[in-house]
Amino acid sequence: IRLDSSYQEAWYYGGLVNVEIGKWDDAYEFFTKSIELAPEHHLSYQMRSGVSFEHFNYKLALEDINKAIDLKDSSYYYYQKAVILDQMDQFEESLESVNLALERDSTDLGSIFYKASNLVNLNRFSEGCKELQKIRSRDPSWDLSEFDEFCK
């Protein structure tokens, strides 16, 4: 079987397969080729951002998720950006991004969690605890014990 190397979707899906089997370097290369062939393919930027994040290369992860956001307004992309910024200890910026995610989907518990986490990291305990209470009321199975000392 001969593959068409200019077929962008093959590169994108090849990247997904490599992510699934943990071949992060190969996945990065596949997503890069997908982007070269289709520079407006927001999913390739989003996935390559995730690969960079897995390699602790937060600067590259942030660059790619910003490009994905430029191409498509998505609550998940703002959430992913918040997670990256949180890992970079940029809590104010992370909070801004998670608020944008919540403007688009106010029910997402992951975004609510990152909002609470950022508020606690910014020593805004009362506000953070109110956000954690939203999670507890919607899904009591979440383990939020790491915040117990702040939310008594």
Side-chain angles (χ1 to χ4, degrees):
I1 298 175
R2 186 170 179 279
L3 297 177
D4 181 357
S5 64
S6 66
Y7 186 54
Q8 177 271 327
E9 286 186 8
W11 290 101
Y12 173 71
Y13 287 107
L16 293 178
V17 168
N18 280 296
V19 164
E20 192 67 32
I21 61 175
K23 290 188 166 188
W24 300 105
D25 292 335
D26 291 343
Y28 189 90
E29 294 306 317
F30 272 74
F31 293 129
T32 297
K33 184 65 176 177
S34 174
I35 290 166
E36 288 171 8
L37 293 170
E40 303 301 308
H41 193 249
H42 63 92
L43 291 168
S44 294
Y45 287 100
Q46 184 264 331
M47 290 303 299
R48 191 171 73 174
S49 173
V51 170
S52 294
F53 183 86
E54 287 297 320
H55 275 110
F56 306 101
N57 192 334
Y58 302 130
K59 183 177 182 246
L60 281 178
L62 187 59
E63 287 174 13
D64 277 341
I65 202 61
N66 280 333
K67 182 63 177 176
I69 290 168
D70 288 345
L71 295 170
K72 181 173 175 60
D73 187 79
S74 162
S75 64
Y76 183 74
Y77 292 177
Y78 283 107
Y79 165 80
Q80 188 171 338
K81 180 177 179 177
V83 172
I84 295 164
L85 290 165
D86 179 79
Q87 290 301 304
M88 299 171 76
D89 294 335
Q90 295 181 16
F91 303 121
E92 285 286 352
E93 294 86 350
S94 180
L95 182 59
E96 289 174 23
S97 188
V98 82
N99 281 333
L100 290 169
L102 287 166
E103 284 176 15
R104 288 150 180 80
D105 180 2
S106 63
T107 65
D108 180 59
L109 296 181
S111 293
I112 295 169
F113 174 81
Y114 267 93
K115 180 175 184 176
S117 176
N118 281 301
L119 289 166
V120 168
N121 284 324
L122 293 167
N123 296 318
R124 293 164 58 183
F125 302 115
S126 176
E127 294 170 83
C129 293
K130 286 179 186 173
E131 295 301 318
L132 291 170
Q133 189 54 42
K134 291 178 186 177
I135 296 171
R136 285 189 174 103
S137 67
R138 293 182 190 169
D139 186 351
S141 69
W142 276 60
D143 178 12
L144 303 171
S145 58
E146 66 185 284
F147 296 99
D148 286 348
E149 67 182 280
F150 304 109
C151 301
K152 295 180 181 183

